[in-house]
Amino acid sequence: MFVAPSILSANFGKLDEEIKAICETGCDFVHIDVMDGHFVPNLTIGPVVVDAVNKIATKPLDIHLMVENNAFFVELFSHIKPRFLSFHIEEEKHPHRLIQKIKSYGIKAGIVLNPHTRVEEIEYLLEDLDLVLLMSVNPGFGGQSFIPSVLEKAERLKELVIKRNSKVLIEVDGGVSDKNINALKSAGVDIVVAGNYIFSSNSYKDAINSLRV
Ligand code: DX5
Ligand code: ZN
C-alpha cells in the first residue's frame, strides 16, 4: 500500500518542518487539498504555497482539486508538475478533454468521485486515466468519519479496471486509519490518503508504517 499524508491536518505554522518530517519517514506522496470555497465550503492553499511545498518535499506531490473551474486550476498548477493532478467528475462537463490537457503537461491525470457517485460514471475513461480517487468522506475537511460503502465501490472499480485491462491506480481519501486499512487493502486499493490519523499521532513514522499493509 502506498501512503500519501494529507497536509491539510499539518501544523501550518511550521509547514516546512511538517513536510520534511513526513518525507523523511518514508511516505510515498504528499497529498495536497486545493479548495476554492465554492465546490466545497472551505478554502485552502493556492499555487504560491504549493510551489513552496514542492521545493521542500522530497516526495512527489499528489494534488486533489476541489474547485469549480477545473481547467483554470489545471493551468494554474501545471508548472508545479505534481506526480498526480486530480479533479472531481461531479464538476466537469468534459472530463476526457481535461484528462488530455493534464497529460499534455507530463502530469498523471486522476478523477475523484464523491461518496454518492457511481464508479460506472468513469468506466469509459479508464483507458485514459492514471488514477481514480474515491472519497470516503464528503470533501472539504479533515478529521471526518470513514464512510464504509467506499469498500464496495473500490471492489466494483477494481472489477472494471480488470475488465478494461486498465493500469489505473485506486486511491481512497478520508477517515483512513489502522482500523480500516486491511479492509481497504482487500478491496483492491493501491494508495491511501491520511491526514488526521498521521498528523495527530505521536510518531508519524509509526502511523505511516501501520498503513503500509
Ligand atoms: C478532504 C480531503 C482529505 C482530508 C483527509 O476533503 O480531501 O484529503 O485531508 O483527511 P483525514 O484523513 O483526516 O480524513
Ligand atoms: Zn484530499
Side-chain angles (χ1 to χ4, degrees), residues 57-96:
T58 53
K59 297 293 164 68
L61 302 191
D62 169 33
I63 298 184
H64 172 192
L65 296 177
M66 283 159 272
V67 299
E68 277 191 347
N69 189 345
N70 283 308
F72 170 77
F73 280 85
V74 164
E75 289 271 346
L76 208 57
F77 287 94
S78 59
H79 75 281
I80 293 172
K81 298 263 182 288
R83 175 69 55 86
F84 299 109
L85 187 51
S86 304
F87 61 90
H88 273 261
I89 188 79
E90 298 85 7
E91 196 55 49
E92 186 51 52
K93 290 198 184 84
H94 302 287
H96 188 274

Side-chain angles (χ1 to χ4, degrees), residues 13-173:
K14 49 170 190 167
L15 194 53
D16 54 341
E17 284 174 40
E18 296 276 71
I19 302 291
K20 281 179 198 153
I22 50 165
C23 289
E24 278 164 17
T25 54
C27 70
D28 299 290
F29 307 102
V30 177
H31 184 84
I32 299 185
D33 294 301
V34 174
M35 307 183 190
D36 68 349
H38 295 283
F39 179 62
V40 286
N42 199 1
L43 194 59
T44 55
I45 56 177
V48 173
V49 178
V50 177
D51 209 10
V53 169
N54 195 31
K55 292 198 171 89
I56 299 163
T58 53
K59 297 293 164 68
L61 302 191
D62 169 33
I63 298 184
H64 172 192
L65 296 177
M66 283 159 272
V67 299
E68 277 191 347
N69 189 345
N70 283 308
F72 170 77
F73 280 85
V74 164
E75 289 271 346
L76 208 57
F77 287 94
S78 59
H79 75 281
I80 293 172
K81 298 263 182 288
R83 175 69 55 86
F84 299 109
L85 187 51
S86 304
F87 61 90
H88 273 261
I89 188 79
E90 298 85 7
E91 196 55 49
E92 186 51 52
K93 290 198 184 84
H94 302 287
H96 188 274
R97 179 183 293 155
L98 194 57
I99 290 167
Q100 308 312 324
K101 190 178 181 73
I102 293 171
K103 288 174 140 186
S104 75
Y105 294 119
I107 301 167
K108 292 186 185 295
I111 279 189
V112 195
L113 274 61
N114 270 336
H116 73 280
T117 305
R118 297 166 63 84
V119 291
E120 286 75 10
E121 286 278 316
I122 53 142
E123 178 169 0
Y124 298 109
L125 297 171
L126 287 175
E127 276 99 302
D128 299 285
L129 280 169
D130 298 297
L131 178 81
V132 176
L133 171 48
L134 302 176
M135 292 307 297
S136 41
V137 296
N138 288 295
F141 303 93
Q144 302 180 80
S145 300
F146 181 81
I147 300 173
S149 58
V150 77
L151 295 169
E152 186 188 318
K153 279 176 77 173
E155 283 170 12
R156 288 173 77 145
L157 176 57
K158 190 78 184 180
E159 284 168 16
L160 290 179
V161 167
I162 292 167
K163 176 178 142 193
R164 304 204 75 87
N165 203 18
S166 161
K167 296 202 166 40
V168 85
L169 292 169
I170 302 175
E171 183 176 32
V172 167
D173 182 5

